[in-house]
Amino acid sequence: MINSVRNTVLAILNKNNYGYISPSDFNLFAKQAQLDIFDEYFITYNNQINKENGRVSGTGYADAKKGTEEVIDYFSETSALTQSSNNVYFLPSEITTGYDYYLINKVLCYSGGLLKGEAEKVTHSKITMLNNSLLTKPSQTYPAYTQEAGLLTVYPETFNGVSDVKAQYIRYPKDPKWTYITISNGDPIFNQSLSDYQDFELPIEDENNLVARILQYAGISIREGDAYAFGKNIEQQENQES
Amino acid sequence: MAYLSQYQYYENGGTAPTNQNWGSYQYVSLEDIVNNFQLMYAGNHSLINNEERYKILFHAKRAIQELNYDAFKEIKALQLTVFDNLTFVLPSDYVNWVRISLYKDGWIRPLNENIQLNSAKAYLQGAGGTLTFDVDGNVITTASELDTDRINGNQKSIYLNKNNSDEQTSVNSDANWYAEYSIGARYGLNTETANANPTFRIDKKAGVINFDSTMLNESCILEYISDGMEGGNDSLITVNKLFEQYIYAAIKYELLNSKFNVQEYIISRARKDKSALLRNAKIRLSNIHPGKLLMNLRGDNKWIK
């Protein structure tokens, strides 16, 4: 999809003689555009739930929430968390689990390889009281966790093994990269066989949206207001349709 | 509880203790209750939304505690021998007592709670009634005369057991015998104290049952209720299936009732739901069988002489 998006963006820019964006600029704008759209999926998801609760949403093919869920689930990962010390574990990151996380959806606690329970996220303002509570103190069956500076602390402290904690989280999309080979007398030629090639991870339906957003970034970059306005216009039309 | 094969049920899959699963089908675990509640009653399209799990857990446990206090008929019993100090330490999961009995000669003899005091704290007093204090400024305590007399068997009793005040104890003084008599006239038996068995009082703060001296070396059975919290082990907490729906309703009501901006009619509906389910469950658990009634009614034509 990335080549198609780039060709469309360049076609629009060239047709109107707005200018040209280099592959490296395109890759930067593509990353930014993808993150924008990715972020919007969560807002859309919430809006769709509100619509369902307002009884203005249907089922079957009219179930818009399902489609959004599918897109978000594409970015779902489940990984064991790397232990920092005792009951403290590193949050998912490129170094520990291979991906930075957008949000942690579920933390599972194991003991001796057996699943004991799903840990509940508790705020720092509550965890002390919770630990002192007779009835609701975190237990093996009902563990809890807090987050602090890239670390996740699990309660009770008996969860302290190397592989005691797993997380299901939503990762960020991989940075798109339009890769190419340079020929001596012309434009760069798209080559997706290079090792650092990375396509967009959003569904094909988002192609229009990606083009619109990249055009906006490109318009600002080349100081061409019309290009920005054109992109903005497409984006607004997309939003109205959804 | 999970569904078990017959082998697992009867013999615990060959693992000791083999009786672990007997009767387990009557119960649903706390884990199941919280899990089911989160699945079925909480979520984006439910009345309960965005509530922390620990709140659900709290209200589930509180509902189970309340059921244990009166609705359940799950009475625990502990039998111990009362030794020289004439005390029976309350069990670790004790909440309230149902009945305390003396077990003797094959008979269970229910005991009465003494209406009089039988234990007290005492401060160590010096000459003129002065109190003595330790280095921390706390008054020094000592065994009270009341306790000492009770343990030594010298405390008089208004009950019909040992050292009854109506006993005419004779005292020899100056070569004459004198007898103790109750002051004032007596008109029949005081039924409140007309019991010859040992008596007791429960010192709740001290966590002991204090008996009179007639209980020395006797076997005592304490029937009591607990709160069903199984010593804080969440994985062992269970509730009778007849009350499962009530627990869901109770959690739902408590959450809605404490939530801001919930319409009163919704809270009211939840409250009625909860009350009705509790009533239904109590009726179900009461086990009123025609056969039992028949046994009782068979005596209705007996002549009262």
Side-chain angles (χ1 to χ4, degrees), chain B residues 6-270:
Chain B
Q6 299 286 64
Y7 180 52
Q8 280 176 314
Y9 177 78
Y10 285 108
E11 300 195 8
N12 195 20
T15 313
T18 52
N19 61 356
Q20 190 173 15
N21 297 321
W22 294 356
S24 62
Y25 199 70
Q26 301 165 83
Y27 298 97
V28 58
S29 69
L30 174 70
E31 210 174 338
D32 277 339
I33 285 171
V34 174
N35 198 40
N36 290 342
F37 187 87
Q38 285 185 300
L39 273 174
M40 303 302 165
Y41 297 94
N44 288 327
H45 309 304
S46 305
L47 282 174
I48 310 292
N49 193 15
N50 294 339
E51 285 291 2
E52 289 88 354
R53 186 184 62 195
Y54 61 76
K55 286 189 183 175
I56 296 170
L57 180 64
F58 173 78
H59 291 303
K61 285 187 174 181
R62 283 292 301 116
I64 293 172
Q65 283 181 323
E66 289 296 329
L67 289 175
N68 271 275
Y69 298 151
D70 55 7
F72 288 164
K73 292 172 179 176
E74 299 195 7
I75 294 163
K76 296 186 172 187
L78 178 66
Q79 183 172 13
L80 290 174
T81 301
V82 176
F83 284 102
D84 295 349
N85 56 3
L86 297 177
T87 60
F88 185 112
V89 179
L90 299 174
S92 58
D93 55 349
Y94 170 91
V95 171
N96 203 3
W97 65 283
V98 176
R99 188 165 49 188
I100 296 170
S101 310
L102 161 69
Y103 185 71
K104 194 169 185 177
D105 305 327
W107 291 97
I108 295 175
R109 294 154 63 173
L111 304 183
N112 282 337
E113 187 174 18
N114 200 322
I115 58 172
Q116 289 189 318
L117 199 65
N118 70 357
S119 180
K121 195 162 72 173
Y123 294 150
L124 188 62
Q125 289 178 294
T130 54
L131 301 178
T132 49
F133 300 90
D134 64 13
V135 287
D136 298 322
N138 298 319
V139 70
I140 295 173
T141 57
T142 183
S144 67
E145 193 182 349
L146 183 64
D147 272 312
T148 312
D149 278 355
R150 177 176 57 84
I151 291 165
N152 295 335
N154 296 327
Q155 188 188 0
K156 302 280 192 248
S157 172
I158 59 170
Y159 290 80
L160 301 182
N161 55 7
K162 188 183 173 187
N163 288 339
N164 184 275
S165 59
D166 286 342
E167 285 178 2
Q168 297 172 7
T169 311
S170 297
V171 178
N172 190 328
S173 176
D174 302 331
N176 293 315
W177 284 92
Y178 299 92
E180 291 179 355
Y181 286 96
S182 303
I183 298 170
R186 289 290 301 272
Y187 297 96
L189 195 65
N190 180 5
T191 53
E192 187 183 8
T193 58
N195 193 298
N197 286 325
T199 61
F200 68 91
R201 266 180 87 89
I202 298 179
D203 187 341
K204 291 174 184 168
K205 281 287 175 191
V208 292
I209 304 169
N210 290 315
F211 290 97
D212 67 36
S213 57
T214 56
M215 196 64 183
L216 180 65
N217 295 325
E218 300 288 359
S219 182
C220 171
I221 300 172
L222 167 66
E223 289 164 84
Y224 67 101
I225 53 166
S226 184
D227 65 351
M229 288 297 103
E230 303 295 340
N233 189 341
D234 289 346
S235 62
L236 297 180
I237 298 173
T238 56
V239 64
N240 194 296
K241 278 177 178 170
L242 299 177
F243 287 91
E244 186 178 354
Q245 197 60 34
Y246 163 75
I247 304 241
Y248 299 139
I251 300 169
K252 195 165 86 174
Y253 165 70
E254 294 296 344
L255 289 173
L256 290 170
N257 193 36
S258 58
K259 200 168 187 169
F260 176 70
N261 220 9
V262 178
Q263 294 92 330
E264 187 55 35
Y265 74 91
I266 291 178
I267 298 172
S268 182
R269 189 202 300 162

Side-chain angles (χ1 to χ4, degrees), chain A residues 153-209:
Chain A
T153 307
V154 184
Y155 300 92
E157 294 170 1
T158 46
F159 289 111
N160 52 18
V162 177
S163 53
D164 278 3
V165 180
K166 272 186 186 174
Q168 183 260 322
Y169 61 97
I170 303 298
R171 65 169 172 83
Y172 277 106
K174 293 172 187 166
D175 293 350
K177 189 152 191 185
W178 186 83
T179 47
Y180 59 96
I181 50 167
T182 310
I183 56 170
S184 55
N185 58 349
D187 292 335
I189 304 286
F190 178 56
N191 181 1
Q192 64 179 37
S193 61
L194 296 179
S195 61
D196 55 347
Y197 164 76
Q198 178 60 53
D199 200 358
F200 289 111
E201 290 194 291
L202 296 173
I204 295 170
E205 70 193 29
D206 277 322
E207 188 167 333
N208 286 352
N209 213 349

Side-chain angles (χ1 to χ4, degrees), chain A residues 111-129:
Chain A
S111 185
L114 293 172
L115 176 65
K116 290 294 173 182
E118 184 182 334
E120 180 183 29
K121 188 183 178 185
V122 178
T123 60
H124 287 281
S125 57
K126 293 279 186 189
I127 190 67
T128 314
M129 288 179 276

Side-chain angles (χ1 to χ4, degrees), chain A residues 20-193:
Chain A
Y20 172 79
I21 54 169
S22 66
S24 60
D25 281 352
F26 173 80
N27 285 338
L28 288 174
F29 301 153
K31 176 188 174 184
Q32 207 59 45
Q34 181 171 246
L35 282 176
D36 286 348
I37 297 168
F38 173 74
D39 199 37
E40 274 180 8
Y41 266 104
F42 294 87
I43 298 161
T44 309
Y45 183 66
N46 193 41
N47 290 339
Q48 282 159 352
I49 285 168
N50 290 338
K51 279 183 184 174
E52 280 188 8
N53 285 335
R55 303 186 70 82
V56 290
S57 177
T59 55
Y61 292 125
D63 192 351
K65 188 187 79 175
K66 193 178 166 194
T68 311
E69 273 175 348
E70 282 174 4
V71 176
I72 294 173
D73 285 344
Y74 180 83
F75 299 96
S76 171
E77 295 283 338
T78 302
S79 315
L81 298 186
T82 308
Q83 190 177 24
S84 170
S85 62
N86 301 324
N87 60 328
V88 182
Y89 295 80
F90 288 107
L91 287 167
S93 65
E94 271 197 45
I95 300 167
T96 56
T97 57
Y99 298 105
D100 284 327
Y101 75 96
Y102 179 79
L103 67 82
I104 292 187
N105 191 43
K106 195 164 73 175
V107 172
L108 300 171
C109 296
Y110 293 78
S111 185
L114 293 172
L115 176 65
K116 290 294 173 182
E118 184 182 334
E120 180 183 29
K121 188 183 178 185
V122 178
T123 60
H124 287 281
S125 57
K126 293 279 186 189
I127 190 67
T128 314
M129 288 179 276
L130 196 68
N131 276 325
N132 287 332
S133 161
L134 196 64
L135 290 182
T136 57
K137 184 177 181 169
S139 63
Q140 288 265 320
T141 317
Y142 299 106
Y145 72 92
T146 56
Q147 279 178 243
E148 190 171 26
L151 296 170
L152 183 146
T153 307
V154 184
Y155 300 92
E157 294 170 1
T158 46
F159 289 111
N160 52 18
V162 177
S163 53
D164 278 3
V165 180
K166 272 186 186 174
Q168 183 260 322
Y169 61 97
I170 303 298
R171 65 169 172 83
Y172 277 106
K174 293 172 187 166
D175 293 350
K177 189 152 191 185
W178 186 83
T179 47
Y180 59 96
I181 50 167
T182 310
I183 56 170
S184 55
N185 58 349
D187 292 335
I189 304 286
F190 178 56
N191 181 1
Q192 64 179 37
S193 61

